[in-house]
Amino acid sequence: MSDTSSPGGGPPGPGYYPDQSGVMRWWDGTQWTDRTQGAASPPAAAPPPPKKSHTLRNVLLALVAVFVLIIGGCFAVVGITANEVNEAIETHQAEDAAPGGPDNPLTIVEGESFEVSGFQYAPGWSVTQDSLGYAQVEGLKVTNGRSDTDGAIVEIKFMNGSEVMALVDCTTEQIPVGQTTTLNCFGGDKYPASYDRITINDTF
């Protein structure tokens, strides 16, 4: 030990003191012993900071992703549906504007064949008046040339210029594809004394 004197001038009392090598060694009052005191343990390292949990964040991100997918899917469905509705409207408008459609009556000639949107009307029909003088259409036959079973609901008009002189309604039951049937016609107007043409059109 570098200074073994006590405050009174004598050797220090027994105890642990640093020796020449700096080790804390037991001094028995007269000499060094083999007893040493272990060096103080270094301070324990601070534990690593706890890892932040991202569970809540991940759940929220997953929910946002699901929400986005649902909204995107809804927009896609709405877009597809709107497109289909638009196509159906355009198809319906085109059919209405076709010759013989509700918006475009087709001029026909008594006794001659004609076609309206896949319905093929046979020749040999005639216009006449019944016993009460009402306009009638007789012997009008139709064959279903459409892609599905369908029925005919048509108006036959006796026209004089732009004026309807008489109207006859004709209908059928549902006709399977390729089958021919005779229309049932009923007129509620008197047979006109004059007219310049006959037209036919689907009612819807």
Side-chain angles (χ1 to χ4, degrees):
M1 78 200 282
S2 56
D3 182 3
T4 58
S5 60
S6 66
Y16 283 102
Y17 298 97
D19 65 8
Q20 290 83 357
S21 65
V23 175
M24 297 298 287
R25 191 177 295 278
W26 182 259
W27 175 260
D28 64 2
T30 58
Q31 63 180 0
W32 292 112
T33 67
D34 292 330
R35 290 171 57 191
T36 59
Q37 190 177 38
S41 300
K51 291 184 179 179
K52 292 182 180 178
S53 173
H54 298 299
T55 303
L56 179 59
R57 182 194 67 183
N58 292 341
V59 169
L60 290 176
L61 288 175
L63 289 175
V64 169
V66 169
F67 179 76
V68 168
L69 288 174
I70 290 173
I71 295 299
C74 289
F75 278 122
V77 169
V78 169
I80 291 170
T81 302
N83 187 49
E84 290 177 353
V85 169
N86 189 49
E87 289 179 359
I89 291 173
E90 289 177 354
T91 299
H92 187 69
Q93 289 175 338
E95 290 173 352
D96 287 354
D103 298 335
N104 187 13
L106 174 69
T107 297
I108 55 179
V109 177
E110 181 180 0
E112 294 187 5
S113 63
F114 57 93
E115 180 177 343
V116 176
S117 299
F119 271 175
Q120 295 135 10
Y121 293 84
W125 59 280
S126 61
V127 294
T128 185
Q129 55 183 313
D130 63 16
S131 58
L132 299 175
Y134 290 104
Q136 289 295 325
V137 175
E138 296 182 348
L140 184 59
K141 296 182 179 182
V142 64
T143 300
N144 183 2
R146 297 178 179 176
S147 57
D148 296 309
T149 297
D150 204 351
I153 304 176
V154 299
E155 295 175 333
I156 295 177
K157 297 172 184 172
F158 296 77
M159 302 293 298
N160 191 11
S162 60
E163 183 180 357
V164 179
M165 305 304 295
L167 172 67
V168 177
D169 291 307
C170 299
T171 62
T172 68
E173 70 283 359
Q174 291 292 301
I175 312 168
V177 175
Q179 182 173 306
T180 301
T181 190
T182 301
L183 285 88
N184 298 310
C185 297
F186 173 79
D189 296 320
K190 293 290 185 177
Y191 187 86
S194 65
Y195 57 91
D196 57 19
R197 70 187 188 282
I198 301 172
T199 65
I200 187 171
N201 63 270
D202 290 329
T203 56
F204 60 86

PDB file of all heavy atoms in Angstrom, residues 119-136:
ATOM      1  N   PHE A 119     -90.714 -11.501 -86.015  1.00  0.00           N
ATOM      2  CA  PHE A 119     -92.023 -12.119 -86.214  1.00  0.00           C
ATOM      3  C   PHE A 119     -92.344 -12.047 -87.711  1.00  0.00           C
ATOM      4  O   PHE A 119     -92.414 -10.958 -88.280  1.00  0.00           O
ATOM      5  CB  PHE A 119     -93.099 -11.390 -85.411  1.00  0.00           C
ATOM      6  CG  PHE A 119     -93.288 -11.918 -84.005  1.00  0.00           C
ATOM      7  CD1 PHE A 119     -94.147 -11.279 -83.138  1.00  0.00           C
ATOM      8  CD2 PHE A 119     -92.631 -13.056 -83.563  1.00  0.00           C
ATOM      9  CE1 PHE A 119     -94.346 -11.744 -81.847  1.00  0.00           C
ATOM     10  CE2 PHE A 119     -92.815 -13.538 -82.282  1.00  0.00           C
ATOM     11  CZ  PHE A 119     -93.678 -12.878 -81.412  1.00  0.00           C
ATOM     12  N   GLN A 120     -92.531 -13.207 -88.330  1.00  0.00           N
ATOM     13  CA  GLN A 120     -92.808 -13.263 -89.769  1.00  0.00           C
ATOM     14  C   GLN A 120     -94.296 -13.485 -90.003  1.00  0.00           C
ATOM     15  O   GLN A 120     -94.851 -14.518 -89.614  1.00  0.00           O
ATOM     16  CB  GLN A 120     -91.982 -14.408 -90.393  1.00  0.00           C
ATOM     17  CG  GLN A 120     -90.486 -14.156 -90.322  1.00  0.00           C
ATOM     18  CD  GLN A 120     -89.693 -15.378 -89.868  1.00  0.00           C
ATOM     19  OE1 GLN A 120     -90.224 -16.475 -89.771  1.00  0.00           O
ATOM     20  NE2 GLN A 120     -88.417 -15.155 -89.584  1.00  0.00           N
ATOM     21  N   TYR A 121     -94.906 -12.473 -90.591  1.00  0.00           N
ATOM     22  CA  TYR A 121     -96.343 -12.521 -90.854  1.00  0.00           C
ATOM     23  C   TYR A 121     -96.582 -13.064 -92.264  1.00  0.00           C
ATOM     24  O   TYR A 121     -95.981 -12.612 -93.232  1.00  0.00           O
ATOM     25  CB  TYR A 121     -96.954 -11.128 -90.693  1.00  0.00           C
ATOM     26  CG  TYR A 121     -96.915 -10.628 -89.255  1.00  0.00           C
ATOM     27  CD1 TYR A 121     -95.776 -10.004 -88.744  1.00  0.00           C
ATOM     28  CD2 TYR A 121     -98.016 -10.793 -88.415  1.00  0.00           C
ATOM     29  CE1 TYR A 121     -95.735  -9.549 -87.428  1.00  0.00           C
ATOM     30  CE2 TYR A 121     -97.986 -10.342 -87.097  1.00  0.00           C
ATOM     31  CZ  TYR A 121     -96.840  -9.727 -86.609  1.00  0.00           C
ATOM     32  OH  TYR A 121     -96.794  -9.296 -85.309  1.00  0.00           O
ATOM     33  N   ALA A 122     -97.483 -14.032 -92.348  1.00  0.00           N
ATOM     34  CA  ALA A 122     -97.720 -14.749 -93.613  1.00  0.00           C
ATOM     35  C   ALA A 122     -98.657 -13.959 -94.527  1.00  0.00           C
ATOM     36  O   ALA A 122     -99.453 -13.133 -94.059  1.00  0.00           O
ATOM     37  CB  ALA A 122     -98.315 -16.114 -93.319  1.00  0.00           C
ATOM     38  N   PRO A 123     -98.565 -14.210 -95.840  1.00  0.00           N
ATOM     39  CA  PRO A 123     -99.501 -13.565 -96.774  1.00  0.00           C
ATOM     40  C   PRO A 123    -100.897 -14.185 -96.644  1.00  0.00           C
ATOM     41  O   PRO A 123    -101.085 -15.206 -96.000  1.00  0.00           O
ATOM     42  CB  PRO A 123     -98.877 -13.874 -98.139  1.00  0.00           C
ATOM     43  CG  PRO A 123     -98.131 -15.149 -97.928  1.00  0.00           C
ATOM     44  CD  PRO A 123     -97.610 -15.089 -96.524  1.00  0.00           C
ATOM     45  N   GLY A 124    -101.867 -13.551 -97.291  1.00  0.00           N
ATOM     46  CA  GLY A 124    -103.220 -14.107 -97.333  1.00  0.00           C
ATOM     47  C   GLY A 124    -104.192 -13.464 -96.356  1.00  0.00           C
ATOM     48  O   GLY A 124    -105.367 -13.845 -96.311  1.00  0.00           O
ATOM     49  N   TRP A 125    -103.778 -12.503 -95.564  1.00  0.00           N
ATOM     50  CA  TRP A 125    -104.674 -11.848 -94.606  1.00  0.00           C
ATOM     51  C   TRP A 125    -105.493 -10.775 -95.308  1.00  0.00           C
ATOM     52  O   TRP A 125    -105.148 -10.319 -96.397  1.00  0.00           O
ATOM     53  CB  TRP A 125    -103.885 -11.260 -93.430  1.00  0.00           C
ATOM     54  CG  TRP A 125    -102.835 -10.238 -93.841  1.00  0.00           C
ATOM     55  CD1 TRP A 125    -101.601 -10.495 -94.332  1.00  0.00           C
ATOM     56  CD2 TRP A 125    -102.980  -8.832 -93.832  1.00  0.00           C
ATOM     57  NE1 TRP A 125    -100.934  -9.329 -94.621  1.00  0.00           N
ATOM     58  CE2 TRP A 125    -101.762  -8.282 -94.309  1.00  0.00           C
ATOM     59  CE3 TRP A 125    -103.990  -7.953 -93.444  1.00  0.00           C
ATOM     60  CZ2 TRP A 125    -101.553  -6.901 -94.417  1.00  0.00           C
ATOM     61  CZ3 TRP A 125    -103.779  -6.591 -93.550  1.00  0.00           C
ATOM     62  CH2 TRP A 125    -102.563  -6.075 -94.040  1.00  0.00           C
ATOM     63  N   SER A 126    -106.561 -10.349 -94.657  1.00  0.00           N
ATOM     64  CA  SER A 126    -107.424  -9.337 -95.287  1.00  0.00           C
ATOM     65  C   SER A 126    -108.022  -8.412 -94.235  1.00  0.00           C
ATOM     66  O   SER A 126    -108.052  -8.737 -93.042  1.00  0.00           O
ATOM     67  CB  SER A 126    -108.565 -10.018 -96.069  1.00  0.00           C
ATOM     68  OG  SER A 126    -109.369 -10.781 -95.182  1.00  0.00           O
ATOM     69  N   VAL A 127    -108.474  -7.239 -94.717  1.00  0.00           N
ATOM     70  CA  VAL A 127    -109.183  -6.306 -93.839  1.00  0.00           C
ATOM     71  C   VAL A 127    -110.641  -6.299 -94.295  1.00  0.00           C
ATOM     72  O   VAL A 127    -110.949  -6.416 -95.484  1.00  0.00           O
ATOM     73  CB  VAL A 127    -108.585  -4.883 -93.906  1.00  0.00           C
ATOM     74  CG1 VAL A 127    -107.175  -4.899 -93.341  1.00  0.00           C
ATOM     75  CG2 VAL A 127    -108.594  -4.332 -95.317  1.00  0.00           C
ATOM     76  N   THR A 128    -111.533  -6.191 -93.322  1.00  0.00           N
ATOM     77  CA  THR A 128    -112.956  -6.239 -93.632  1.00  0.00           C
ATOM     78  C   THR A 128    -113.710  -5.528 -92.524  1.00  0.00           C
ATOM     79  O   THR A 128    -113.113  -4.899 -91.650  1.00  0.00           O
ATOM     80  CB  THR A 128    -113.431  -7.700 -93.775  1.00  0.00           C
ATOM     81  OG1 THR A 128    -114.795  -7.716 -94.180  1.00  0.00           O
ATOM     82  CG2 THR A 128    -113.246  -8.471 -92.481  1.00  0.00           C
ATOM     83  N   GLN A 129    -115.017  -5.631 -92.562  1.00  0.00           N
ATOM     84  CA  GLN A 129    -115.835  -5.084 -91.478  1.00  0.00           C
ATOM     85  C   GLN A 129    -116.807  -6.154 -91.024  1.00  0.00           C
ATOM     86  O   GLN A 129    -117.246  -6.989 -91.822  1.00  0.00           O
ATOM     87  CB  GLN A 129    -116.572  -3.832 -91.922  1.00  0.00           C
ATOM     88  CG  GLN A 129    -117.435  -3.995 -93.153  1.00  0.00           C
ATOM     89  CD  GLN A 129    -118.079  -2.692 -93.571  1.00  0.00           C
ATOM     90  OE1 GLN A 129    -118.640  -1.968 -92.735  1.00  0.00           O
ATOM     91  NE2 GLN A 129    -118.024  -2.374 -94.859  1.00  0.00           N
ATOM     92  N   ASP A 130    -117.090  -6.120 -89.723  1.00  0.00           N
ATOM     93  CA  ASP A 130    -117.998  -7.143 -89.201  1.00  0.00           C
ATOM     94  C   ASP A 130    -119.446  -6.735 -89.463  1.00  0.00           C
ATOM     95  O   ASP A 130    -119.710  -5.728 -90.132  1.00  0.00           O
ATOM     96  CB  ASP A 130    -117.727  -7.399 -87.715  1.00  0.00           C
ATOM     97  CG  ASP A 130    -117.976  -6.171 -86.840  1.00  0.00           C
ATOM     98  OD1 ASP A 130    -118.632  -5.215 -87.305  1.00  0.00           O
ATOM     99  OD2 ASP A 130    -117.507  -6.163 -85.675  1.00  0.00           O
ATOM    100  N   SER A 131    -120.367  -7.491 -88.895  1.00  0.00           N
ATOM    101  CA  SER A 131    -121.788  -7.244 -89.158  1.00  0.00           C
ATOM    102  C   SER A 131    -122.274  -5.911 -88.595  1.00  0.00           C
ATOM    103  O   SER A 131    -123.298  -5.379 -89.036  1.00  0.00           O
ATOM    104  CB  SER A 131    -122.628  -8.384 -88.563  1.00  0.00           C
ATOM    105  OG  SER A 131    -122.387  -8.482 -87.159  1.00  0.00           O
ATOM    106  N   LEU A 132    -121.517  -5.346 -87.663  1.00  0.00           N
ATOM    107  CA  LEU A 132    -121.879  -4.051 -87.085  1.00  0.00           C
ATOM    108  C   LEU A 132    -121.128  -2.900 -87.733  1.00  0.00           C
ATOM    109  O   LEU A 132    -121.280  -1.741 -87.334  1.00  0.00           O
ATOM    110  CB  LEU A 132    -121.618  -4.043 -85.574  1.00  0.00           C
ATOM    111  CG  LEU A 132    -122.403  -5.073 -84.753  1.00  0.00           C
ATOM    112  CD1 LEU A 132    -121.966  -5.039 -83.299  1.00  0.00           C
ATOM    113  CD2 LEU A 132    -123.908  -4.825 -84.890  1.00  0.00           C
ATOM    114  N   GLY A 133    -120.310  -3.216 -88.726  1.00  0.00           N
ATOM    115  CA  GLY A 133    -119.593  -2.172 -89.461  1.00  0.00           C
ATOM    116  C   GLY A 133    -118.244  -1.809 -88.847  1.00  0.00           C
ATOM    117  O   GLY A 133    -117.631  -0.814 -89.262  1.00  0.00           O
ATOM    118  N   TYR A 134    -117.767  -2.600 -87.868  1.00  0.00           N
ATOM    119  CA  TYR A 134    -116.465  -2.305 -87.254  1.00  0.00           C
ATOM    120  C   TYR A 134    -115.330  -2.897 -88.082  1.00  0.00           C
ATOM    121  O   TYR A 134    -115.483  -3.975 -88.682  1.00  0.00           O
ATOM    122  CB  TYR A 134    -116.406  -2.857 -85.825  1.00  0.00           C
ATOM    123  CG  TYR A 134    -117.292  -2.098 -84.867  1.00  0.00           C
ATOM    124  CD1 TYR A 134    -118.516  -2.644 -84.453  1.00  0.00           C
ATOM    125  CD2 TYR A 134    -116.911  -0.847 -84.390  1.00  0.00           C
ATOM    126  CE1 TYR A 134    -119.333  -1.952 -83.587  1.00  0.00           C
ATOM    127  CE2 TYR A 134    -117.746  -0.144 -83.513  1.00  0.00           C
ATOM    128  CZ  TYR A 134    -118.945  -0.700 -83.122  1.00  0.00           C
ATOM    129  OH  TYR A 134    -119.765   0.000 -82.276  1.00  0.00           O
ATOM    130  N   ALA A 135    -114.219  -2.204 -88.119  1.00  0.00           N
ATOM    131  CA  ALA A 135    -113.066  -2.666 -88.890  1.00  0.00           C
ATOM    132  C   ALA A 135    -112.508  -3.945 -88.272  1.00  0.00           C
ATOM    133  O   ALA A 135    -112.424  -4.079 -87.048  1.00  0.00           O
ATOM    134  CB  ALA A 135    -111.991  -1.582 -88.923  1.00  0.00           C
ATOM    135  N   GLN A 136    -112.132  -4.874 -89.141  1.00  0.00           N
ATOM    136  CA  GLN A 136    -111.588  -6.150 -88.697  1.00  0.00           C
ATOM    137  C   GLN A 136    -110.404  -6.549 -89.571  1.00  0.00           C
ATOM    138  O   GLN A 136    -110.278  -6.118 -90.725  1.00  0.00           O
ATOM    139  CB  GLN A 136    -112.648  -7.255 -88.765  1.00  0.00           C
ATOM    140  CG  GLN A 136    -113.752  -7.136 -87.726  1.00  0.00           C
ATOM    141  CD  GLN A 136    -113.217  -7.302 -86.306  1.00  0.00           C
ATOM    142  OE1 GLN A 136    -112.291  -8.080 -86.062  1.00  0.00           O
ATOM    143  NE2 GLN A 136    -113.773  -6.534 -85.379  1.00  0.00           N
TER     144      GLN A 136
END
